[in-house]
Amino acid sequence: MAETQCNGSSGKQFKLPEIKFTKLFINGEFVDAISGKTFETMDPRSGDVIAKVAAGAKDDVDLAVKAARDAFDHGKWPRMSGFDRRKIMMKFANLIDENLEELAALDSLDGGKLLTLGKAIDIPEAANTLRYYAGAADKIHGETLKMSRAMHGYTLREPIGVAGIIIPWNFPTTMFFIKVSPALAAGCTTVIKPAEQTPLSALYYAHLAKLAGIPDGVINVVTGFGSTAGAAIASHMDIDMVAFTGSTEVGRLVMEAAAKSNLKPVSLELGGKSPLIIFDDADVDIAVDLARLAIFFNKGEICVAGSRVYVQEGIYDEFVKKSAEKAKSWVVGDPFDPSVQQGPQVDKKQFEKVLKYIEHGKREGATLLTGGKSCGEKGYYIEPTIFTDVKDDMLIAKDEIFGPVMSLMKFKTVEEAIERANKTKYGLAAGIVTKDLNLANRVSRSIKAGIIWVNCYFAFDKDCPFGGYKMSGFGRDNGLHALDKYLQIKSVVTPLYDSPWL
């Protein structure tokens, strides 16, 4: 079995960010939870406590919703021209750029994310997402209708109202702005619950929003637990819609609570078990690198992780050999270290869950090619792990592990690859590696998933809609389609008298 570099604690000292904001942000102010309770947010590099954060619950959500409702019903944000909202959102984006180092460090400390990628991708792209939707704010308009009788009809696209936004821990900054940016552009007000594992950057963004001039009550951040604060948002009678990213299991609860309360619409971006299909004509070296990226990026904590890798039999043996060799160069360690490629899992619970799935794989008869163990003297580090001889009915091939665990499988025909790729309850993403354009087109149209990447992976873009099929959810993030969930359509009809034209 190949060995991998694992320096869970490098011994180096890195400058850590000052924790400035730990209270709830409601109606433009940082406040304690009504109960006075707090919870500990932990450093996954060591398991040590970073800070105690206000534990918001139902009463706090009620206050946040009241602030958001007042800001929507009586405030200036939804009544402001799109052009004026755009200017404020642009200022917000500029403030993110000015605080890039500190924001990236917060996500690294709180979530174990690589600092180098935070500075290069997560934080700059968050600012650019704001700018993208700022550019759309003054271009939201309805249609003039061609009525079949003497009537003049047109549509308005109006902000839906108060948006409840519940975001996950794997991309705390990215998910904050994928949801919040189109909501702001549409003219909505928001109540946001960040994941309890990674609450710190969301509170900092609330502070920057205030500095940018976003009116009080438009952005409210309630930190706390899903079973309390999250449940209160999903079931609240005065929230007009909920946008949720997280597990399929919790997505069910959100949808149920929304239906049982005020029948609010929901947008759900849920789990995945994405296939990466590699055909015989692929460049093996490129395919190996893509497969490694697809599962080990962000320590496998990504909903679209290419965790099921199907390799055609003609190149399978070479692919296995090179994958094992590549694993030797993958560096696991402190996310503040620029030489590291994989940080720790987000917390002890996720760490233990991944290790449990690895044991399942061994017991079910899969062959452990690389990794398979925790590493480092402290913290939640796991070796990048590859299984071969995996069957489609094994747990490691069916369940979303959300960790650095690849299931590697062989196939013969195109038809077999398509059938096996679709043999999952999920449908979030898929990858195809081939030099044959006709084959790529055939397979991409046959896979039941919301986004298909051909000869690439993680090719996200602000203008490219993203969302799932089947039990991976519904609704779209990114692109102009993301505005739809924060808008509702009103038709206006008036009669025409003595008009020469219909």
Side-chain angles (χ1 to χ4, degrees):
M1 186 174 72
E3 294 181 356
T4 183
Q5 296 183 47
C6 191
N7 63 340
S9 179
S10 66
K12 297 179 183 178
Q13 295 296 314
F14 301 100
K15 184 179 179 181
L16 302 181
E18 177 188 354
I19 309 304
K20 297 176 180 176
F21 308 106
T22 58
K23 297 183 178 183
L24 314 178
F25 187 80
I26 297 176
N27 205 24
E29 302 292 337
F30 284 102
V31 296
D32 291 319
I34 291 174
S35 68
K37 292 180 180 179
T38 61
F39 65 94
E40 295 175 339
T41 185
M42 315 296 287
D43 181 349
R45 303 175 307 152
S46 61
D48 295 339
V49 176
I50 301 169
K52 292 185 177 181
V53 179
K58 182 181 183 302
D59 289 345
D60 304 287
V61 169
D62 286 343
L63 284 179
V65 173
K66 183 180 184 304
R69 174 57 60 197
D70 288 346
F72 185 79
D73 288 349
H74 308 295
K76 58 185 178 180
W77 187 254
R79 292 159 186 80
M80 203 180 279
S81 71
F83 177 78
D84 288 334
R85 284 202 299 271
R86 173 186 177 276
K87 289 192 292 185
I88 295 173
M89 292 174 68
M90 287 292 193
K91 186 175 180 181
F92 190 3
N94 292 340
L95 288 170
I96 293 171
D97 287 339
E98 292 170 17
N99 293 274
L100 180 148
E101 293 274 349
E102 192 169 2
L103 291 163
L106 280 177
D107 281 349
S108 294
L109 181 63
D110 217 10
K113 295 176 66 64
L114 299 184
L115 181 65
T116 50
L117 292 185
K119 293 194 293 185
I121 300 174
D122 289 31
I123 311 304
E125 283 305 302
N128 288 334
T129 297
L130 258 178
R131 293 184 179 105
Y132 174 88
Y133 288 105
D138 59 356
K139 300 169 185 68
I140 297 169
H141 52 77
E143 300 173 301
T144 301
L145 307 175
K146 186 67 174 176
M147 307 290 280
S148 62
R149 52 202 177 108
M151 298 283 183
H152 172 59
Y154 62 93
T155 61
L156 299 171
R157 298 177 77 201
E158 299 181 336
I160 198 168
V162 178
I165 295 173
I166 304 173
I167 56 177
W169 43 258
N170 58 331
F171 285 87
T173 288
T174 302
M175 290 297 171
F176 187 101
F177 286 100
I178 280 178
K179 307 289 192 190
V180 171
S181 302
L184 291 176
C188 291
T189 60
T190 62
V191 177
I192 305 150
K193 194 204 88 67
E196 57 265 30
Q197 295 87 347
T198 54
L200 297 177
S201 59
L203 295 171
Y204 204 117
Y205 292 123
H207 163 68
L208 294 182
K210 173 128 180 156
L211 293 182
I214 291 180
D216 294 348
V218 173
I219 287 181
N220 303 275
V221 178
V222 180
T223 52
F225 296 94
S227 59
T228 51
I233 288 172
S235 62
H236 206 286
M237 293 296 292
D238 214 16
I239 286 180
D240 297 304
M241 67 82 64
V242 172
F244 171 80
T245 292
S247 70
T248 297
E249 293 72 24
V250 177
R252 283 182 184 273
L253 297 176
V254 169
M255 193 171 179
E256 181 181 4
K260 286 183 174 180
S261 53
N262 58 343
L263 209 62
K264 65 179 73 65
V266 297
S267 172
L268 303 176
E269 194 263 280
L270 306 175
K273 193 67 178 175
S274 301
L276 175 61
I277 307 171
I278 300 168
F279 290 95
D280 278 344
D281 67 337
D283 182 300
V284 175
D285 291 322
I286 291 174
V288 167
D289 286 341
L290 273 178
R292 183 172 72 161
L293 171 72
I295 186 60
F296 300 142
F297 175 74
N298 204 54
K299 55 266 184 21
E301 293 175 347
I302 182 166
C303 51
V304 293
S307 53
R308 294 186 296 144
V309 180
Y310 294 97
V311 182
Q312 201 161 14
E313 59 183 0
I315 60 170
Y316 179 82
D317 291 340
E318 182 184 1
F319 185 94
V320 169
K321 179 182 177 182
K322 289 188 173 181
S323 292
E325 292 171 354
K326 284 281 187 176
K328 297 176 184 178
S329 64
W330 194 258
V331 183
V332 181
D334 194 310
F336 284 86
D337 187 334
S339 68
V340 163
Q341 293 166 293
Q342 180 184 314
Q345 309 308 129
V346 72
D347 63 7
K348 184 178 181 181
K349 180 180 178 182
Q350 186 62 22
F351 171 75
E352 291 176 346
K353 174 187 172 184
V354 174
L355 291 176
K356 188 178 293 185
Y357 270 111
I358 290 171
E359 291 306 310
H360 272 302
K362 294 176 184 176
R363 285 199 302 271
E364 289 183 312
T367 301
L368 187 63
L369 180 67
T370 66
K373 303 188 301 294
S374 62
C375 57
E377 296 178 1
K378 59 181 180 178
Y380 307 127
Y381 298 91
I382 295 177
E383 295 175 340
T385 298
I386 303 174
F387 281 104
T388 59
D389 302 314
V390 178
K391 304 292 188 294
D392 290 321
D393 60 354
M394 291 181 178
L395 277 180
I396 58 171
K398 293 194 301 182
D399 289 2
E400 183 180 40
I401 298 173
F402 229 63
V405 181
M406 179 195 295
S407 292
L408 189 51
M409 294 167 275
K410 184 193 300 185
F411 73 91
K412 291 184 178 182
T413 66
V414 176
E415 292 77 13
E416 178 194 350
I418 292 169
E419 181 182 354
R420 293 174 68 186
N422 282 330
K423 196 176 181 181
T424 173
K425 64 184 178 181
Y426 298 113
L428 197 54
I432 301 165
V433 186
T434 179
K435 297 174 183 174
D436 186 335
L437 182 59
N438 291 329
L439 179 60
N441 284 332
R442 175 187 172 189
V443 176
S444 64
R445 283 159 173 76
S446 302
I447 300 297
K448 297 172 183 175
I451 190 166
I452 312 291
W453 291 304
V454 179
N455 295 328
C456 58
Y457 213 84
F458 299 133
F460 292 108
D461 190 85
K462 293 172 290 300
D463 199 47
C464 182
F466 169 69
Y469 283 24
K470 300 190 284 188
M471 289 180 70
S472 289
F474 46 83
R476 292 296 179 265
D477 291 322
N478 286 340
L480 296 180
H481 291 280
L483 290 164
D484 294 342
K485 57 180 171 280
Y486 301 107
L487 296 164
Q488 49 193 354
I489 296 175
K490 176 184 287 181
S491 297
V492 181
V493 180
T494 60
L496 292 174
Y497 298 107
D498 303 319
S499 172
W501 308 104
L502 290 182

